[in-house]
Amino acid sequence: MAGEPTAVTISDAALDAAAAPLLDKLVADAVASKLTGADATLWGADAESEASIRLSWTSLHKSSRPLIGEIEALRAELRSEGVDRVVLAGMGGSSLAPEVITGTEGVALTVLDTTDPGQVADALAGDLERTVLVVSSKSGTTVETDSHRRIFTKAFAEAGVDAARRIVVVTDPGSPLAELGEAEGYRRVFLADPHVGGRYSALTAFGLVPAGLAGADVARLLDQAASVADTLAADSADNPALRLAAALGAAHADGAEKVVLADTGSGIAGFGDWAEQLIAESTGKQGTGLLPVVVENPGAPGFAGAASDATPVAVGPAVDGAKISTSGPLGAQFLLWEYAVAVAGRLLGINPFDQPDVEAAKKAARSLLDDPQALHGTAEPSAVLGSVEVYASAGTTGEGSLADVLREFLGTVPERGYLAVQAYLDRLDDASAALLRPELARRTGAQTTFGWGPRFLHSTGQYHKGGHPNGVFLQLTGAAEDDLDVPDRPYSLGTLQLAQALGDGQVLAAGGRPVLRLHLTDRAAGLADVMRAVQELGS
């Protein structure tokens, strides 16, 4: 449970034995204390310049303390004005940690990490008189977040609400968003530590401000991290982060390039979704890395009876089938996994602080937005099957029934490869799409991931293009019943969403990854058609 001491248990004897020499070497090389001391040389000369400006996260349990009073004062101000509904516009590291924190604490936070017009419209339909919008972007230029800001600014004005008084910014010093916040007189601009990368930012203003405004106890979160900080900094074989890193490194060296995460009663809500970005974006590059596979429970396909290409990890108490388990309260788990993944990067021989392949999909999407004909014009579906338009990948015909199309496509999953299901849909109204993950995993026997687009582009998107080149990608897109224009921009949310899907698909295909896109002309009917086709595949 969440109150248990922070610990890592390696329950698989063979993995424990394989990890032992790596653990001994990490201790002998004083990796933990050097990391805590911000030694940028730990990952080699090529990584040194980036690492030198990305290591302040090891001391956030101390340096973030002044935020506690600032957040509480702003929350009290807002509540005195009747403002008690918090909407967060942010992607990747700006949204995943706050969602886990507030979910674990049971406080309400509306998270917008989507370009789906229906999901954004649902957030707009809430009581704007009671709403504060937290606009959170490290770069200050995130297109999804800027779109949300523009849409809410217009909606506030139309509702007779002073938008500037209802927008709070979290960004890095000197970013365009910081400058805009000052120029527009937004309610508050929080400047985060620029020496912390997005996926390591859970205990910075990016994680704490939206969660704290929503009512989470951020002081307790920092206390939890502080309680384990000295242990994680110790050059000792008892250091749980070193044990976890050594186990992941040893498993990868033995061919287990996938890490399957299941919650086993940790008391933490959605931890796997946060860890997914940390692991994938940190390690998935140069043709190597650890692919996180977040599953529904320890009995789900992919965890139970996992093949030799995967390491099942229990987040919470150890269970049958798990080779590793991690326990501890949320703040401590944040810090534990950050240390472990950074050290695993050293063992894998990569720089855990860059994301060299993320920008490619963004560029492709921008190019499509600039060329409406390329976006909407020429590509004809391979087939139209009920409410589903089929856009077949290179090397597949797209012929026959929908089950035939899927069967042919799934046959391209290589041995020890993986299937990624990418749903550019409404995470709330189209939630049934997530049921495809266990169904496809059960029927293919391949490790299968599921991601909501474009949210996953800021998370596992790096691994898809930079990690082990053995993935195949099933994209789901859908017609928008009611689109939303983005004020002062030449595109709507629906157009942006489609451009992101097609742009990422182009980059994946150019890298030799098979991509099949199923476009749902009627979302509910199309999802039902796809699920029936999957069930026709047999078990």
Side-chain angles (χ1 to χ4, degrees), residues 136 162 216 474 487 509 513 536:
S136 186
D162 182 353
L474 176 61
R513 273 73 160 174
E536 288 174 24

Side-chain angles (χ1 to χ4, degrees), residues 429-523:
D429 287 352
D430 302 321
S432 63
L435 298 174
L436 290 169
R437 193 218 72 81
E439 292 294 329
L440 285 165
R442 183 176 296 112
R443 285 163 173 78
T444 63
Q447 286 294 341
T448 303
T449 67
F450 181 89
W452 293 104
R455 154 185 172 127
F456 75 83
L457 293 176
H458 300 257
S459 176
T460 51
Q462 166 60 42
Y463 185 101
H464 294 160
K465 292 173 277 289
H468 290 277
N470 56 5
V472 305
F473 301 87
L474 176 61
Q475 290 188 334
L476 301 174
T477 57
E481 187 172 322
D482 295 300
D483 207 348
L484 278 175
D485 288 331
V486 180
D488 301 317
R489 285 291 183 265
Y491 50 79
S492 66
L493 281 184
T495 299
L496 175 57
Q497 185 182 42
L498 182 60
Q500 290 175 311
L502 296 184
D504 192 48
Q506 287 178 359
V507 174
L508 290 168
R513 273 73 160 174
V515 181
L516 172 67
R517 181 165 71 94
L518 303 179
H519 183 72
L520 315 178
T521 55
D522 178 303
R523 293 192 182 193

Side-chain angles (χ1 to χ4, degrees), residues 179-528:
E179 295 172 1
L180 179 69
E182 295 296 339
E184 294 291 326
Y186 289 159
R187 182 66 174 257
R188 179 66 192 270
V189 176
F190 287 91
L191 298 178
D193 188 333
H195 292 161
V196 178
R199 55 191 175 273
Y200 291 81
S201 66
L203 300 178
T204 70
F206 288 106
L208 302 184
V209 169
L213 291 179
D217 188 340
V218 295
R220 179 170 59 198
L221 194 73
L222 293 175
D223 288 344
Q224 291 168 351
S227 72
V228 77
D230 289 346
T231 300
L232 299 180
D235 296 312
S236 163
D238 294 325
N239 181 328
L242 296 185
R243 286 177 54 76
L244 179 54
L248 295 175
H252 184 274
D254 195 40
E257 65 203 40
K258 305 169 185 79
V259 179
V260 188
L261 300 165
D263 190 277
T264 59
S266 68
I268 299 172
F271 184 80
D273 291 337
W274 172 83
E276 186 178 53
Q277 182 198 19
L278 177 71
I279 298 166
E281 208 168 56
S282 295
T283 71
K285 56 203 72 170
Q286 298 176 24
T288 190
L290 296 164
L291 175 69
V293 182
V294 180
V295 301
E296 299 75 21
N297 54 65
F303 192 92
S308 61
D309 64 340
T311 304
V313 178
V315 180
V319 295
D320 288 345
K323 293 188 176 183
I324 304 171
S325 59
T326 72
S327 61
L330 178 55
Q333 290 263 33
F334 277 149
L335 198 57
L336 163 66
W337 279 87
E338 287 168 351
Y339 263 88
V341 170
V343 174
R346 174 182 167 93
L347 296 176
L348 268 62
I350 51 89
N351 173 6
F353 304 112
D354 67 351
Q355 48 282 332
D357 300 295
V358 167
E359 188 62 28
K362 295 180 183 179
K363 287 181 179 177
R366 285 195 294 266
S367 177
L368 288 168
L369 285 174
D370 292 338
D371 186 357
Q373 184 173 357
L375 181 60
H376 296 289
T378 55
E380 291 293 327
S382 309
V384 178
L385 304 171
S387 297
V388 180
E389 294 178 350
V390 176
Y391 294 85
S393 64
T396 57
T397 64
E399 296 176 351
S401 68
L402 190 51
D404 292 333
V405 170
L406 285 171
R407 188 176 291 110
E408 182 186 29
F409 175 69
L410 296 172
T412 66
V413 180
E415 187 178 358
R416 302 174 67 84
Y418 68 96
L419 168 65
V421 182
Q422 305 172 334
Y424 289 85
L425 300 170
D426 185 325
R427 188 152 63 109
L428 304 178
D429 287 352
D430 302 321
S432 63
L435 298 174
L436 290 169
R437 193 218 72 81
E439 292 294 329
L440 285 165
R442 183 176 296 112
R443 285 163 173 78
T444 63
Q447 286 294 341
T448 303
T449 67
F450 181 89
W452 293 104
R455 154 185 172 127
F456 75 83
L457 293 176
H458 300 257
S459 176
T460 51
Q462 166 60 42
Y463 185 101
H464 294 160
K465 292 173 277 289
H468 290 277
N470 56 5
V472 305
F473 301 87
L474 176 61
Q475 290 188 334
L476 301 174
T477 57
E481 187 172 322
D482 295 300
D483 207 348
L484 278 175
D485 288 331
V486 180
D488 301 317
R489 285 291 183 265
Y491 50 79
S492 66
L493 281 184
T495 299
L496 175 57
Q497 185 182 42
L498 182 60
Q500 290 175 311
L502 296 184
D504 192 48
Q506 287 178 359
V507 174
L508 290 168
R513 273 73 160 174
V515 181
L516 172 67
R517 181 165 71 94
L518 303 179
H519 183 72
L520 315 178
T521 55
D522 178 303
R523 293 192 182 193
L527 282 173

